[in-house]
Amino acid sequence: QLTGKTKGRHQSRPGKRRGADTKVDLEEALHLFAQNLGLSDYLINGEVDWDKVSNRMSEMAASVAESAKKAVMERYTHDNGAVKWGTVLGDAALAGMAVLGATWTGGDGDADRGSRQSFT
């Protein structure tokens, strides 16, 4: 609900503001920021509840790991659990070609390194 309009106390020049107003403004801004990002559950009286943040990050990490495992299983196994050897061998061939290509170019993607002149 940001309208771009300011209230009376915000119309003064920044250098003229009192410390208490600044603290209140920062707390309001933090609350608005957290609310807009759906993070208000992680704030208690304007302070970050790091235990809740830590728990949520652990949940997210577990979810990411499970998603990665599922993606690998879907890519490399059939519904009955048998290995998709065509996919395995195709991916291995692509990886081998990438290594070979990196070896030919010196590993850093700079194929024309030998054509440089030194001006020392």
Side-chain angles (χ1 to χ4, degrees):
Q1 299 172 6
L2 300 175
T3 63
K5 297 179 182 178
T6 58
K7 295 181 182 178
R9 71 177 186 169
H10 296 286
Q11 293 175 349
S12 64
R13 287 179 280 163
K16 300 286 183 180
R17 297 181 71 166
R18 290 179 279 163
D21 286 343
T22 302
K23 182 178 180 184
V24 170
D25 290 346
L26 289 174
E27 288 176 3
E28 288 175 10
L30 178 60
H31 179 73
L32 182 62
F33 177 77
Q35 187 178 20
N36 285 330
L37 293 177
L39 302 175
S40 55
D41 292 342
Y42 302 100
L43 295 177
I44 298 175
N45 297 326
E47 298 282 325
V48 176
D49 184 344
W50 291 109
D51 290 334
K52 282 186 177 181
V53 171
S54 175
N55 289 338
R56 180 64 181 133
M57 295 303 285
S58 296
E59 291 170 6
M60 289 173 61
S63 176
V64 167
E66 187 60 33
S67 294
K69 179 181 174 182
K70 183 179 177 183
V72 168
M73 293 298 289
E74 286 178 2
R75 176 150 180 85
Y76 295 111
T77 61
H78 293 285
D79 291 338
N80 64 4
V83 175
K84 295 180 183 176
W85 287 109
T87 303
V88 171
L89 294 174
D91 287 357
L94 286 173
M97 289 172 50
V99 169
L100 189 57
T103 303
W104 283 343
T105 63
D108 62 359
D110 195 7
D112 66 341
R113 182 182 348 185
S115 64
R116 293 187 187 156
Q117 295 179 351
S118 175
F119 295 103
T120 57

